[in-house]
Amino acid sequence: MYPGTFAASTPDKDAVVMGSGQRVSYRELDDRSMRLAQLLHSRGLRPGDHVAIFAENHPRYYEVYWAALRSGLYLTAVNRHLKAEEAAYLVNDSGSTVVITTAALAKVAAEMLEHVPDCPTRFMMDGTGPGVPGFESYEDAIAGQPAEPLAQQPRGEVMLYSSGTTGQPKGIKRPLSGLMMGDPGAVGTSVLERLLLGMDESSVYLCPAPLYHSAGLQWSAGVHELGGTLVILERFDAEDFLAIVERERVTHIQVVPTMMVRLLKLDEQTRAKYDLSSLRGIIHAAAPCPVDVKRRMIEWLGPIIHEYYAATEGNGLTYISPQQWLEHPGSVGKPLTGILHICDETGAELKPGEPGLVYFEQPKMTWEYHNEPEKTRGTRHPEHDNWAALGDIGYVDSGGYLFLTDRRAFTIISGGVNIYPAEIESTLVGFAGVLDAAVFGLPDPEMGEYVHAVVQLDAGVAASPELAEELREYVRVNLAGYKVPRSVDFRAELPRSANGKLYKGPLREEYLQALKV
């Protein structure tokens, strides 16, 4: 289903609620998305064409999403933190001929104009006065369109971009399904939400993540397919998060591990202030979760913490229930879609317990990197075109449960031994006073690489050589000796994206450049 279904059956129900309290009903969401669909059609866009949205978490974000989806268009969500040329790269590479932005991003949007000459149609939301030169008023433009569905409503798709932690972001493109809105099967993540979390039209789902990110955008859209209420946070603050769960009687949430760490850093008195009894399910993904963090979340909120492992590419998906995780702590579960293979660098399959490259097998791989055939080819198995790997290293246990160890790009090879930073980072975060950690290899003339850690401390905790040595000893007690960082630095903040991914590449490069001086 899609919002039009519920605009007819429950028109006054909240479709979107912002953390600030602003509300959008299903009738409003459906009417506005129809008006925008009509506007895009009047400007010449047809199925298969591309639209970009460059916006913060905004109450009108989903009218843009559903206008594109009900018009057979591809929608590209652009990271709202990008600089002008970075944002323009995504608009240009996607082939978008329409970009929709907001007054809050007017400065960057205006700077972007000279870099997007092939995107002639530009709208700005929330504009006041004369507006920004080069942009039409979004509100004025859709006001002149009828709130009626197009004669044909083929289902469109999103074309999102990889996070670009190494190199330029890559557009992930899937073929259009050929289905019409409302056809059986013309749905997205609502299938998973119903199956894994038991969500339905009574669900109130909280999204604390940025909507330009795949999970934030698509799982939130799934709520509208079910007819539930979507609550969107403008930004994540741990205590505000709890207050909004209580205020809106939230039933389901998706978080990333860094959010769980920050929630657990709240003192018990603060956590106890809020009524969280409405919660029925929390699901997390996007980054490795320290075992101790997840165990403490379960102790606090009960066995309602679910987990999945997937990528924007839609390559495959694993899932683990809270009960299964308690029996297999640290696992990201078993395949829910696709067949799992763990292979060495030659493509040979490995035995249980042996870490290697994680491949998913599908009947047919339908996704590709937009305009990047060689990079697409680079993800495929040497002998099987329908097996694809995205750079994660992991192993399966004897029961078939997958454990991730790290990204291939960050595996440290010291004295011929592979060291996976993620488990060292998880250990460091378990130390009292540590908020975040990044571990990577630096050159060593004898061993090839040595282990280096960069640590972010809680507010009020002072960095010192003595604390660095305490951290090294803590790792030594919990992990094998060769995994102990040779050196530990401290930083006020580590570079993470808003969806929780650690930008280790640029951080490591900074150290490598310093070593060359």
PDB file of all heavy atoms in Angstrom, residues 1-3 6 26 29 62 65-66 69 155 158 187-190 193 205 207 211 214-228 230 232:
ATOM      1  N   MET A   1       0.844  -1.185   0.000  1.00  0.00           N
ATOM      2  CA  MET A   1       0.000   0.000   0.000  1.00  0.00           C
ATOM      3  C   MET A   1       0.887   1.245   0.000  1.00  0.00           C
ATOM      4  O   MET A   1       2.102   1.162   0.166  1.00  0.00           O
ATOM      5  CB  MET A   1      -0.900  -0.007   1.221  1.00  0.00           C
ATOM      6  CG  MET A   1      -1.838  -1.219   1.287  1.00  0.00           C
ATOM      7  SD  MET A   1      -3.230  -0.894   2.343  1.00  0.00           S
ATOM      8  CE  MET A   1      -3.819  -2.564   2.623  1.00  0.00           C
ATOM      9  N   TYR A   2       0.266   2.402  -0.143  1.00  0.00           N
ATOM     10  CA  TYR A   2       0.992   3.667  -0.137  1.00  0.00           C
ATOM     11  C   TYR A   2       0.080   4.717   0.479  1.00  0.00           C
ATOM     12  O   TYR A   2      -1.092   4.434   0.787  1.00  0.00           O
ATOM     13  CB  TYR A   2       1.448   4.033  -1.546  1.00  0.00           C
ATOM     14  CG  TYR A   2       0.337   4.420  -2.496  1.00  0.00           C
ATOM     15  CD1 TYR A   2       0.162   5.755  -2.861  1.00  0.00           C
ATOM     16  CD2 TYR A   2      -0.535   3.474  -3.026  1.00  0.00           C
ATOM     17  CE1 TYR A   2      -0.857   6.120  -3.735  1.00  0.00           C
ATOM     18  CE2 TYR A   2      -1.545   3.836  -3.896  1.00  0.00           C
ATOM     19  CZ  TYR A   2      -1.708   5.156  -4.246  1.00  0.00           C
ATOM     20  OH  TYR A   2      -2.715   5.518  -5.098  1.00  0.00           O
ATOM     21  N   PRO A   3       0.567   5.945   0.750  1.00  0.00           N
ATOM     22  CA  PRO A   3      -0.228   6.897   1.521  1.00  0.00           C
ATOM     23  C   PRO A   3      -1.627   7.161   0.996  1.00  0.00           C
ATOM     24  O   PRO A   3      -2.540   7.459   1.778  1.00  0.00           O
ATOM     25  CB  PRO A   3       0.626   8.163   1.481  1.00  0.00           C
ATOM     26  CG  PRO A   3       2.015   7.660   1.389  1.00  0.00           C
ATOM     27  CD  PRO A   3       1.931   6.439   0.510  1.00  0.00           C
ATOM     28  N   PHE A   6      -4.325   5.188   2.774  1.00  0.00           N
ATOM     29  CA  PHE A   6      -4.685   5.598   4.129  1.00  0.00           C
ATOM     30  C   PHE A   6      -5.242   7.017   4.165  1.00  0.00           C
ATOM     31  O   PHE A   6      -5.937   7.376   5.119  1.00  0.00           O
ATOM     32  CB  PHE A   6      -3.468   5.434   5.043  1.00  0.00           C
ATOM     33  CG  PHE A   6      -2.934   4.031   5.006  1.00  0.00           C
ATOM     34  CD1 PHE A   6      -1.776   3.739   4.305  1.00  0.00           C
ATOM     35  CD2 PHE A   6      -3.628   2.994   5.604  1.00  0.00           C
ATOM     36  CE1 PHE A   6      -1.302   2.443   4.229  1.00  0.00           C
ATOM     37  CE2 PHE A   6      -3.164   1.693   5.530  1.00  0.00           C
ATOM     38  CZ  PHE A   6      -2.005   1.412   4.848  1.00  0.00           C
ATOM     39  N   TYR A  26      -2.268  12.067   6.958  1.00  0.00           N
ATOM     40  CA  TYR A  26      -2.218  11.286   5.722  1.00  0.00           C
ATOM     41  C   TYR A  26      -2.875  12.032   4.574  1.00  0.00           C
ATOM     42  O   TYR A  26      -2.424  11.950   3.423  1.00  0.00           O
ATOM     43  CB  TYR A  26      -2.859   9.911   5.930  1.00  0.00           C
ATOM     44  CG  TYR A  26      -1.851   8.859   6.329  1.00  0.00           C
ATOM     45  CD1 TYR A  26      -1.669   8.504   7.659  1.00  0.00           C
ATOM     46  CD2 TYR A  26      -1.031   8.252   5.388  1.00  0.00           C
ATOM     47  CE1 TYR A  26      -0.723   7.558   8.030  1.00  0.00           C
ATOM     48  CE2 TYR A  26      -0.084   7.314   5.736  1.00  0.00           C
ATOM     49  CZ  TYR A  26       0.071   6.965   7.060  1.00  0.00           C
ATOM     50  OH  TYR A  26       1.021   6.044   7.418  1.00  0.00           O
ATOM     51  N   LEU A  29      -0.288  14.616   3.425  1.00  0.00           N
ATOM     52  CA  LEU A  29       0.834  13.954   2.753  1.00  0.00           C
ATOM     53  C   LEU A  29       0.434  13.511   1.351  1.00  0.00           C
ATOM     54  O   LEU A  29       1.177  13.731   0.373  1.00  0.00           O
ATOM     55  CB  LEU A  29       1.298  12.752   3.573  1.00  0.00           C
ATOM     56  CG  LEU A  29       2.393  11.888   2.941  1.00  0.00           C
ATOM     57  CD1 LEU A  29       3.677  12.692   2.740  1.00  0.00           C
ATOM     58  CD2 LEU A  29       2.669  10.661   3.817  1.00  0.00           C
ATOM     59  N   TYR A  62       8.799  13.611   2.953  1.00  0.00           N
ATOM     60  CA  TYR A  62       8.132  12.437   2.386  1.00  0.00           C
ATOM     61  C   TYR A  62       7.107  12.763   1.316  1.00  0.00           C
ATOM     62  O   TYR A  62       6.718  11.885   0.551  1.00  0.00           O
ATOM     63  CB  TYR A  62       7.554  11.550   3.501  1.00  0.00           C
ATOM     64  CG  TYR A  62       8.647  10.629   3.977  1.00  0.00           C
ATOM     65  CD1 TYR A  62       9.443  10.969   5.049  1.00  0.00           C
ATOM     66  CD2 TYR A  62       8.965   9.484   3.266  1.00  0.00           C
ATOM     67  CE1 TYR A  62      10.508  10.173   5.428  1.00  0.00           C
ATOM     68  CE2 TYR A  62      10.020   8.680   3.627  1.00  0.00           C
ATOM     69  CZ  TYR A  62      10.791   9.022   4.701  1.00  0.00           C
ATOM     70  OH  TYR A  62      11.853   8.237   5.044  1.00  0.00           O
ATOM     71  N   TYR A  65       9.401  12.276  -1.510  1.00  0.00           N
ATOM     72  CA  TYR A  65       9.639  10.841  -1.699  1.00  0.00           C
ATOM     73  C   TYR A  65       8.457  10.195  -2.421  1.00  0.00           C
ATOM     74  O   TYR A  65       8.637   9.508  -3.447  1.00  0.00           O
ATOM     75  CB  TYR A  65       9.849  10.174  -0.336  1.00  0.00           C
ATOM     76  CG  TYR A  65      10.026   8.669  -0.407  1.00  0.00           C
ATOM     77  CD1 TYR A  65      11.294   8.113  -0.453  1.00  0.00           C
ATOM     78  CD2 TYR A  65       8.936   7.800  -0.438  1.00  0.00           C
ATOM     79  CE1 TYR A  65      11.481   6.731  -0.521  1.00  0.00           C
ATOM     80  CE2 TYR A  65       9.100   6.427  -0.512  1.00  0.00           C
ATOM     81  CZ  TYR A  65      10.369   5.893  -0.557  1.00  0.00           C
ATOM     82  OH  TYR A  65      10.532   4.540  -0.631  1.00  0.00           O
ATOM     83  N   TRP A  66       7.247  10.407  -1.909  1.00  0.00           N
ATOM     84  CA  TRP A  66       6.087   9.717  -2.490  1.00  0.00           C
ATOM     85  C   TRP A  66       5.686  10.290  -3.847  1.00  0.00           C
ATOM     86  O   TRP A  66       5.157   9.561  -4.696  1.00  0.00           O
ATOM     87  CB  TRP A  66       4.917   9.732  -1.514  1.00  0.00           C
ATOM     88  CG  TRP A  66       5.148   8.785  -0.367  1.00  0.00           C
ATOM     89  CD1 TRP A  66       5.361   9.087   0.937  1.00  0.00           C
ATOM     90  CD2 TRP A  66       5.248   7.354  -0.472  1.00  0.00           C
ATOM     91  NE1 TRP A  66       5.578   7.938   1.667  1.00  0.00           N
ATOM     92  CE2 TRP A  66       5.514   6.863   0.833  1.00  0.00           C
ATOM     93  CE3 TRP A  66       5.129   6.451  -1.523  1.00  0.00           C
ATOM     94  CZ2 TRP A  66       5.675   5.502   1.100  1.00  0.00           C
ATOM     95  CZ3 TRP A  66       5.285   5.101  -1.263  1.00  0.00           C
ATOM     96  CH2 TRP A  66       5.549   4.637   0.033  1.00  0.00           C
ATOM     97  N   LEU A  69       8.045   8.399  -6.106  1.00  0.00           N
ATOM     98  CA  LEU A  69       7.707   6.968  -6.167  1.00  0.00           C
ATOM     99  C   LEU A  69       6.411   6.721  -6.927  1.00  0.00           C
ATOM    100  O   LEU A  69       6.278   5.702  -7.610  1.00  0.00           O
ATOM    101  CB  LEU A  69       7.601   6.392  -4.752  1.00  0.00           C
ATOM    102  CG  LEU A  69       8.850   5.741  -4.153  1.00  0.00           C
ATOM    103  CD1 LEU A  69       9.106   4.363  -4.724  1.00  0.00           C
ATOM    104  CD2 LEU A  69      10.084   6.609  -4.321  1.00  0.00           C
ATOM    105  N   ARG A 155       5.394   2.536 -10.108  1.00  0.00           N
ATOM    106  CA  ARG A 155       6.217   2.694  -8.903  1.00  0.00           C
ATOM    107  C   ARG A 155       7.663   3.013  -9.292  1.00  0.00           C
ATOM    108  O   ARG A 155       8.274   2.310 -10.099  1.00  0.00           O
ATOM    109  CB  ARG A 155       6.184   1.439  -8.043  1.00  0.00           C
ATOM    110  CG  ARG A 155       6.970   1.611  -6.726  1.00  0.00           C
ATOM    111  CD  ARG A 155       6.920   0.384  -5.841  1.00  0.00           C
ATOM    112  NE  ARG A 155       7.802   0.547  -4.691  1.00  0.00           N
ATOM    113  CZ  ARG A 155       7.455   1.037  -3.509  1.00  0.00           C
ATOM    114  NH1 ARG A 155       6.205   1.431  -3.317  1.00  0.00           N
ATOM    115  NH2 ARG A 155       8.328   1.148  -2.512  1.00  0.00           N
ATOM    116  N   VAL A 158      14.376   4.451  -5.393  1.00  0.00           N
ATOM    117  CA  VAL A 158      15.424   5.345  -4.913  1.00  0.00           C
ATOM    118  C   VAL A 158      16.726   4.967  -5.614  1.00  0.00           C
ATOM    119  O   VAL A 158      16.938   3.802  -5.962  1.00  0.00           O
ATOM    120  CB  VAL A 158      15.592   5.256  -3.391  1.00  0.00           C
ATOM    121  CG1 VAL A 158      14.361   5.768  -2.681  1.00  0.00           C
ATOM    122  CG2 VAL A 158      15.933   3.842  -2.948  1.00  0.00           C
ATOM    123  N   VAL A 187       5.870  -2.830  -2.880  1.00  0.00           N
ATOM    124  CA  VAL A 187       6.167  -2.321  -1.548  1.00  0.00           C
ATOM    125  C   VAL A 187       7.664  -2.422  -1.293  1.00  0.00           C
ATOM    126  O   VAL A 187       8.399  -3.093  -2.021  1.00  0.00           O
ATOM    127  CB  VAL A 187       5.406  -3.100  -0.455  1.00  0.00           C
ATOM    128  CG1 VAL A 187       3.909  -2.863  -0.562  1.00  0.00           C
ATOM    129  CG2 VAL A 187       5.714  -4.593  -0.535  1.00  0.00           C
ATOM    130  N   GLY A 188       8.094  -1.767  -0.235  1.00  0.00           N
ATOM    131  CA  GLY A 188       9.507  -1.779   0.128  1.00  0.00           C
ATOM    132  C   GLY A 188       9.735  -2.460   1.463  1.00  0.00           C
ATOM    133  O   GLY A 188       9.362  -3.611   1.669  1.00  0.00           O
ATOM    134  N   THR A 189      10.301  -1.721   2.421  1.00  0.00           N
ATOM    135  CA  THR A 189      10.731  -2.324   3.685  1.00  0.00           C
ATOM    136  C   THR A 189       9.584  -2.701   4.612  1.00  0.00           C
ATOM    137  O   THR A 189       9.811  -3.328   5.638  1.00  0.00           O
ATOM    138  CB  THR A 189      11.665  -1.371   4.446  1.00  0.00           C
ATOM    139  OG1 THR A 189      11.004  -0.125   4.603  1.00  0.00           O
ATOM    140  CG2 THR A 189      12.975  -1.191   3.713  1.00  0.00           C
ATOM    141  N   SER A 190       8.359  -2.329   4.280  1.00  0.00           N
ATOM    142  CA  SER A 190       7.235  -2.707   5.146  1.00  0.00           C
ATOM    143  C   SER A 190       7.141  -4.214   5.314  1.00  0.00           C
ATOM    144  O   SER A 190       6.672  -4.709   6.343  1.00  0.00           O
ATOM    145  CB  SER A 190       5.916  -2.167   4.588  1.00  0.00           C
ATOM    146  OG  SER A 190       5.687  -2.658   3.275  1.00  0.00           O
ATOM    147  N   GLU A 193       9.436  -4.921   8.142  1.00  0.00           N
ATOM    148  CA  GLU A 193       8.910  -4.355   9.383  1.00  0.00           C
ATOM    149  C   GLU A 193       7.792  -5.215   9.959  1.00  0.00           C
ATOM    150  O   GLU A 193       7.707  -5.428  11.174  1.00  0.00           O
ATOM    151  CB  GLU A 193       8.421  -2.930   9.123  1.00  0.00           C
ATOM    152  CG  GLU A 193       9.574  -1.983   8.813  1.00  0.00           C
ATOM    153  CD  GLU A 193       9.141  -0.662   8.218  1.00  0.00           C
ATOM    154  OE1 GLU A 193       7.935  -0.498   7.918  1.00  0.00           O
ATOM    155  OE2 GLU A 193       9.999   0.204   8.035  1.00  0.00           O
ATOM    156  N   TYR A 205       6.588   4.669  14.781  1.00  0.00           N
ATOM    157  CA  TYR A 205       8.000   4.362  14.502  1.00  0.00           C
ATOM    158  C   TYR A 205       8.828   5.628  14.592  1.00  0.00           C
ATOM    159  O   TYR A 205       8.513   6.633  13.952  1.00  0.00           O
ATOM    160  CB  TYR A 205       8.103   3.756  13.108  1.00  0.00           C
ATOM    161  CG  TYR A 205       9.494   3.460  12.602  1.00  0.00           C
ATOM    162  CD1 TYR A 205      10.084   2.227  12.829  1.00  0.00           C
ATOM    163  CD2 TYR A 205      10.210   4.397  11.872  1.00  0.00           C
ATOM    164  CE1 TYR A 205      11.365   1.940  12.340  1.00  0.00           C
ATOM    165  CE2 TYR A 205      11.482   4.125  11.377  1.00  0.00           C
ATOM    166  CZ  TYR A 205      12.051   2.894  11.614  1.00  0.00           C
ATOM    167  OH  TYR A 205      13.304   2.616  11.133  1.00  0.00           O
ATOM    168  N   CYS A 207      12.280   7.604  13.890  1.00  0.00           N
ATOM    169  CA  CYS A 207      13.505   7.654  13.082  1.00  0.00           C
ATOM    170  C   CYS A 207      14.399   8.768  13.622  1.00  0.00           C
ATOM    171  O   CYS A 207      14.114   9.954  13.398  1.00  0.00           O
ATOM    172  CB  CYS A 207      13.189   7.907  11.611  1.00  0.00           C
ATOM    173  SG  CYS A 207      14.685   8.117  10.603  1.00  0.00           S
ATOM    174  N   LEU A 211      17.529  11.355   7.028  1.00  0.00           N
ATOM    175  CA  LEU A 211      16.700  10.754   5.979  1.00  0.00           C
ATOM    176  C   LEU A 211      17.453  10.570   4.672  1.00  0.00           C
ATOM    177  O   LEU A 211      16.974   9.849   3.799  1.00  0.00           O
ATOM    178  CB  LEU A 211      15.450  11.605   5.754  1.00  0.00           C
ATOM    179  CG  LEU A 211      14.483  11.645   6.947  1.00  0.00           C
ATOM    180  CD1 LEU A 211      13.302  12.561   6.644  1.00  0.00           C
ATOM    181  CD2 LEU A 211      13.989  10.255   7.322  1.00  0.00           C
ATOM    182  N   SER A 214      20.157   5.453   3.660  1.00  0.00           N
ATOM    183  CA  SER A 214      19.287   4.396   3.148  1.00  0.00           C
ATOM    184  C   SER A 214      18.315   3.875   4.187  1.00  0.00           C
ATOM    185  O   SER A 214      17.102   3.797   3.944  1.00  0.00           O
ATOM    186  CB  SER A 214      20.153   3.242   2.611  1.00  0.00           C
ATOM    187  OG  SER A 214      19.357   2.145   2.248  1.00  0.00           O
ATOM    188  N   ALA A 215      18.816   3.489   5.371  1.00  0.00           N
ATOM    189  CA  ALA A 215      17.930   2.907   6.386  1.00  0.00           C
ATOM    190  C   ALA A 215      16.924   3.933   6.881  1.00  0.00           C
ATOM    191  O   ALA A 215      15.739   3.642   7.023  1.00  0.00           O
ATOM    192  CB  ALA A 215      18.749   2.354   7.550  1.00  0.00           C
ATOM    193  N   GLY A 216      17.406   5.161   7.143  1.00  0.00           N
ATOM    194  CA  GLY A 216      16.492   6.195   7.604  1.00  0.00           C
ATOM    195  C   GLY A 216      15.381   6.454   6.604  1.00  0.00           C
ATOM    196  O   GLY A 216      14.199   6.531   6.962  1.00  0.00           O
ATOM    197  N   LEU A 217      15.729   6.582   5.341  1.00  0.00           N
ATOM    198  CA  LEU A 217      14.756   6.904   4.296  1.00  0.00           C
ATOM    199  C   LEU A 217      13.787   5.771   4.042  1.00  0.00           C
ATOM    200  O   LEU A 217      12.564   5.951   4.047  1.00  0.00           O
ATOM    201  CB  LEU A 217      15.500   7.252   3.007  1.00  0.00           C
ATOM    202  CG  LEU A 217      14.635   7.683   1.823  1.00  0.00           C
ATOM    203  CD1 LEU A 217      14.008   9.041   2.089  1.00  0.00           C
ATOM    204  CD2 LEU A 217      15.462   7.733   0.540  1.00  0.00           C
ATOM    205  N   GLN A 218      14.312   4.560   3.825  1.00  0.00           N
ATOM    206  CA  GLN A 218      13.464   3.486   3.326  1.00  0.00           C
ATOM    207  C   GLN A 218      12.666   2.783   4.425  1.00  0.00           C
ATOM    208  O   GLN A 218      11.524   2.388   4.204  1.00  0.00           O
ATOM    209  CB  GLN A 218      14.319   2.495   2.537  1.00  0.00           C
ATOM    210  CG  GLN A 218      14.906   3.149   1.289  1.00  0.00           C
ATOM    211  CD  GLN A 218      15.643   2.183   0.403  1.00  0.00           C
ATOM    212  OE1 GLN A 218      15.095   1.617  -0.544  1.00  0.00           O
ATOM    213  NE2 GLN A 218      16.921   1.980   0.708  1.00  0.00           N
ATOM    214  N   TRP A 219      13.257   2.618   5.617  1.00  0.00           N
ATOM    215  CA  TRP A 219      12.462   2.032   6.699  1.00  0.00           C
ATOM    216  C   TRP A 219      11.353   2.992   7.125  1.00  0.00           C
ATOM    217  O   TRP A 219      10.253   2.562   7.477  1.00  0.00           O
ATOM    218  CB  TRP A 219      13.364   1.664   7.876  1.00  0.00           C
ATOM    219  CG  TRP A 219      14.076   0.358   7.676  1.00  0.00           C
ATOM    220  CD1 TRP A 219      15.084   0.104   6.794  1.00  0.00           C
ATOM    221  CD2 TRP A 219      13.814  -0.884   8.340  1.00  0.00           C
ATOM    222  NE1 TRP A 219      15.469  -1.213   6.869  1.00  0.00           N
ATOM    223  CE2 TRP A 219      14.714  -1.841   7.819  1.00  0.00           C
ATOM    224  CE3 TRP A 219      12.920  -1.271   9.337  1.00  0.00           C
ATOM    225  CZ2 TRP A 219      14.738  -3.161   8.247  1.00  0.00           C
ATOM    226  CZ3 TRP A 219      12.943  -2.583   9.781  1.00  0.00           C
ATOM    227  CH2 TRP A 219      13.842  -3.520   9.238  1.00  0.00           C
ATOM    228  N   SER A 220      11.619   4.285   7.079  1.00  0.00           N
ATOM    229  CA  SER A 220      10.572   5.250   7.410  1.00  0.00           C
ATOM    230  C   SER A 220       9.452   5.221   6.379  1.00  0.00           C
ATOM    231  O   SER A 220       8.270   5.308   6.716  1.00  0.00           O
ATOM    232  CB  SER A 220      11.175   6.657   7.509  1.00  0.00           C
ATOM    233  OG  SER A 220      12.104   6.725   8.570  1.00  0.00           O
ATOM    234  N   ALA A 221       9.803   5.089   5.098  1.00  0.00           N
ATOM    235  CA  ALA A 221       8.780   4.983   4.058  1.00  0.00           C
ATOM    236  C   ALA A 221       7.922   3.743   4.261  1.00  0.00           C
ATOM    237  O   ALA A 221       6.712   3.746   3.978  1.00  0.00           O
ATOM    238  CB  ALA A 221       9.440   4.959   2.676  1.00  0.00           C
ATOM    239  N   GLY A 222       8.545   2.666   4.749  1.00  0.00           N
ATOM    240  CA  GLY A 222       7.788   1.446   5.014  1.00  0.00           C
ATOM    241  C   GLY A 222       6.667   1.652   6.019  1.00  0.00           C
ATOM    242  O   GLY A 222       5.626   0.979   5.956  1.00  0.00           O
ATOM    243  N   VAL A 223       6.863   2.578   6.952  1.00  0.00           N
ATOM    244  CA  VAL A 223       5.817   2.884   7.935  1.00  0.00           C
ATOM    245  C   VAL A 223       4.570   3.397   7.225  1.00  0.00           C
ATOM    246  O   VAL A 223       3.438   3.049   7.581  1.00  0.00           O
ATOM    247  CB  VAL A 223       6.331   3.912   8.960  1.00  0.00           C
ATOM    248  CG1 VAL A 223       5.246   4.266   9.969  1.00  0.00           C
ATOM    249  CG2 VAL A 223       7.566   3.370   9.675  1.00  0.00           C
ATOM    250  N   HIS A 224       4.762   4.212   6.200  1.00  0.00           N
ATOM    251  CA  HIS A 224       3.618   4.735   5.440  1.00  0.00           C
ATOM    252  C   HIS A 224       2.947   3.641   4.616  1.00  0.00           C
ATOM    253  O   HIS A 224       1.747   3.720   4.341  1.00  0.00           O
ATOM    254  CB  HIS A 224       4.065   5.880   4.530  1.00  0.00           C
ATOM    255  CG  HIS A 224       4.441   7.120   5.276  1.00  0.00           C
ATOM    256  ND1 HIS A 224       5.319   8.066   4.793  1.00  0.00           N
ATOM    257  CD2 HIS A 224       4.065   7.569   6.501  1.00  0.00           C
ATOM    258  CE1 HIS A 224       5.443   9.035   5.663  1.00  0.00           C
ATOM    259  NE2 HIS A 224       4.706   8.752   6.712  1.00  0.00           N
ATOM    260  N   GLU A 225       3.706   2.640   4.200  1.00  0.00           N
ATOM    261  CA  GLU A 225       3.085   1.514   3.491  1.00  0.00           C
ATOM    262  C   GLU A 225       2.180   0.704   4.413  1.00  0.00           C
ATOM    263  O   GLU A 225       1.241   0.061   3.947  1.00  0.00           O
ATOM    264  CB  GLU A 225       4.164   0.613   2.895  1.00  0.00           C
ATOM    265  CG  GLU A 225       4.985   1.285   1.816  1.00  0.00           C
ATOM    266  CD  GLU A 225       6.122   0.409   1.298  1.00  0.00           C
ATOM    267  OE1 GLU A 225       6.424  -0.623   1.921  1.00  0.00           O
ATOM    268  OE2 GLU A 225       6.701   0.779   0.267  1.00  0.00           O
ATOM    269  N   LEU A 226       2.482   0.742   5.716  1.00  0.00           N
ATOM    270  CA  LEU A 226       1.672   0.013   6.694  1.00  0.00           C
ATOM    271  C   LEU A 226       0.521   0.855   7.239  1.00  0.00           C
ATOM    272  O   LEU A 226      -0.397   0.319   7.875  1.00  0.00           O
ATOM    273  CB  LEU A 226       2.551  -0.431   7.871  1.00  0.00           C
ATOM    274  CG  LEU A 226       3.648  -1.452   7.566  1.00  0.00           C
ATOM    275  CD1 LEU A 226       4.549  -1.621   8.782  1.00  0.00           C
ATOM    276  CD2 LEU A 226       3.045  -2.786   7.161  1.00  0.00           C
ATOM    277  N   GLY A 227       0.601   2.176   7.048  1.00  0.00           N
ATOM    278  CA  GLY A 227      -0.427   3.057   7.602  1.00  0.00           C
ATOM    279  C   GLY A 227      -0.145   3.471   9.027  1.00  0.00           C
ATOM    280  O   GLY A 227      -1.047   3.942   9.736  1.00  0.00           O
ATOM    281  N   GLY A 228       1.113   3.322   9.493  1.00  0.00           N
ATOM    282  CA  GLY A 228       1.488   3.729  10.842  1.00  0.00           C
ATOM    283  C   GLY A 228       1.872   5.196  10.888  1.00  0.00           C
ATOM    284  O   GLY A 228       1.727   5.942   9.909  1.00  0.00           O
ATOM    285  N   LEU A 230       4.910   7.945  11.563  1.00  0.00           N
ATOM    286  CA  LEU A 230       6.354   8.115  11.513  1.00  0.00           C
ATOM    287  C   LEU A 230       6.746   9.352  12.310  1.00  0.00           C
ATOM    288  O   LEU A 230       6.269  10.450  12.037  1.00  0.00           O
ATOM    289  CB  LEU A 230       6.805   8.271  10.050  1.00  0.00           C
ATOM    290  CG  LEU A 230       8.249   8.718   9.803  1.00  0.00           C
ATOM    291  CD1 LEU A 230       9.231   7.685  10.343  1.00  0.00           C
ATOM    292  CD2 LEU A 230       8.476   8.954   8.313  1.00  0.00           C
ATOM    293  N   ILE A 232       9.919  11.729  13.260  1.00  0.00           N
ATOM    294  CA  ILE A 232      11.248  12.066  12.733  1.00  0.00           C
ATOM    295  C   ILE A 232      11.924  13.060  13.660  1.00  0.00           C
ATOM    296  O   ILE A 232      11.355  14.120  13.965  1.00  0.00           O
ATOM    297  CB  ILE A 232      11.141  12.680  11.320  1.00  0.00           C
ATOM    298  CG1 ILE A 232      10.446  11.723  10.353  1.00  0.00           C
ATOM    299  CG2 ILE A 232      12.518  13.064  10.796  1.00  0.00           C
ATOM    300  CD1 ILE A 232      10.125  12.352   8.998  1.00  0.00           C
TER     301      ILE A 232
END
